[in-house]
């Protein structure tokens, strides 16, 4: 019986005040650049509600391939050559839980994904906190 493997976790950074999700240097897909197929950010709005897409783009099979090198990041709302924006980037709310994902093109490997939260510090600065199975930085489910 074949076993399903979960997603490979992305890392998060804040680049020019925007969330950025980054590929690990090496993983189960290897250490070569990852061909981009579909990527974006969504948020669950409730247990029985559909996810809301906050930003999504796709690189069509007919377009020249677009790659993300190991350790490189996609910045929220970034334009990628050859990609079609299906949902332009919407403003992200503070203290809400979001999911980011990168789906490699042409089924070339496992999906990359992770959850994050946009938090505001006491001094008004914004920071990105990554969610793990053991820790949700938003406290509650962040709907």
């Amino acid at each position: 019986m074949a076993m399903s493997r979960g997603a490979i976790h992305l890392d998060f950074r804040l680049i020019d005040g925007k969330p950025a999700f980054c590929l690990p240097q090496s993983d189960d897909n290897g250490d070569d650049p990852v061909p981009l197929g579909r990527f974006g950010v969504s948020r669950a709005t409730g247990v029985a509600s559909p996810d809301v897409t906050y930003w999504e783009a796709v690189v069509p099979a007919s377009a020249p391939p677009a790659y993300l090198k190991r350790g490189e990041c996609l910045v929220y709302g970034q334009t990628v050559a050859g990609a079609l924006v299906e949902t332009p980037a919407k403003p992200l709310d503070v203290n809400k839980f979001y999911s980011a994902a990168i789906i490699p093109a042409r089924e070339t490997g496992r999906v990359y994904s992770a959850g994050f939260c946009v938090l505001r510090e006491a001094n008004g600065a914004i920071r990105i906190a990554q969610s793990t199975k053991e820790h949700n930085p938003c406290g509650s489910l962040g709907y």
Side-chain angles (χ1 to χ4, degrees):
M1 174 186 285
M3 295 186 81
S4 170
R5 297 186 301 176
I8 298 171
H9 287 279
L10 294 164
D11 293 321
F12 286 89
R13 295 185 196 140
L14 198 61
I15 297 176
D16 294 330
K18 294 181 180 180
F21 42 105
C22 313
L23 286 179
Q25 288 294 331
S26 183
D27 54 52
D28 289 351
N29 286 345
D31 55 8
D32 293 330
V34 173
L36 298 175
R38 180 175 293 273
F39 51 91
V41 172
S42 63
R43 181 170 76 83
T45 57
V47 177
S49 301
D51 286 357
V52 173
T53 301
Y54 276 70
W55 173 55
E56 185 171 29
V58 62
V59 178
S62 59
Y67 292 90
L68 194 61
K69 293 178 184 172
R70 296 312 180 132
E72 285 186 333
C73 304
L74 283 174
V75 177
Y76 183 73
Q78 172 182 340
T79 301
V80 173
L84 302 175
V85 175
E86 294 188 342
T87 304
K90 299 175 187 176
L92 298 174
D93 296 316
V94 174
N95 296 330
K96 299 293 183 190
F97 180 80
Y98 295 92
S99 296
I102 298 173
I103 301 170
R106 302 168 203 46
E107 299 179 24
T108 56
R110 289 171 52 198
V111 170
Y112 294 86
S113 71
F116 71 99
C117 188
V118 179
L119 300 174
R120 186 174 309 279
E121 300 289 333
N123 66 2
I126 296 291
R127 74 177 175 93
I128 301 300
Q130 188 163 352
S131 177
T132 65
K133 290 179 184 177
E134 298 80 30
H135 176 69
N136 178 356
C138 295
S140 69
L141 290 177
Y143 297 135

